Amino acid sequence: MIVDSLTHLLEDKAAFGPKIQRGLQFLRDTDFTGKAAGRHEVDEELFYFINEYETKAAEECFWEAHRKNLDLHFILEGKEKIGYAAIERLDVKEEYSDEKDAVFFTGTLESTVAVSSGDLMICYPQDGHMTAIMAGEKEAVRKVVLKIKI
């Protein structure tokens, strides 16, 4: 898991391979204003979701991880906490679904990161993550979740 601002991550070109660099550049170069919530196709290696929701208590959120795609969570508006745990520390609740590219877990929330507009979190296959957690009070969040095929 990596968390930073999109601006800082774009400056550190040596830290990422070409697929992640391409994803970062896509996020920088795309105007998401007016894009509808839901799935949007880019090409064979990239697609993204525009997610809009209100944050909630951690008890109402869920753990997940992916195997075929990296997740780049780019916050457009609002603020949320995202929980993190190595998948080895979580218990499988729902076995991996190839169709959803997701495995769902249960486990204790021990570590969270607060992210807001302009922040980006990169989740790798070994990164269990729990999104939409309130950072203080309930708040509307609009974000892009860019999926990069690995």
Side-chain angles (χ1 to χ4, degrees), residues 27-98:
L27 291 171
R28 177 196 63 203
D29 297 342
T30 303
D31 181 4
F32 296 103
T33 307
K35 296 277 186 185
R39 183 178 172 135
H40 301 266
E41 299 294 328
V42 178
D43 58 35
E44 294 176 355
E45 293 193 344
L46 296 177
F47 66 95
Y48 65 94
F49 292 95
I50 298 286
N51 292 343
E52 298 175 340
Y53 51 82
E54 188 172 85
T55 58
K56 51 194 167 202
E59 297 77 32
E60 300 175 58
C61 301
F62 58 90
W63 289 105
E64 67 177 344
H66 312 286
R67 293 184 184 165
K68 295 190 293 188
N69 297 289
L70 298 178
D71 265 9
L72 279 67
H73 294 253
F74 179 50
I75 310 302
L76 299 172
E77 300 171 17
K79 182 170 148 183
E80 72 177 314
K81 287 185 179 179
I82 299 178
Y84 164 79
I87 59 174
E88 296 83 23
R89 296 184 183 144
L90 301 171
D91 297 312
V92 174
K93 177 180 180 180
E94 194 175 312
E95 292 293 331
Y96 178 76
S97 164
D98 190 57

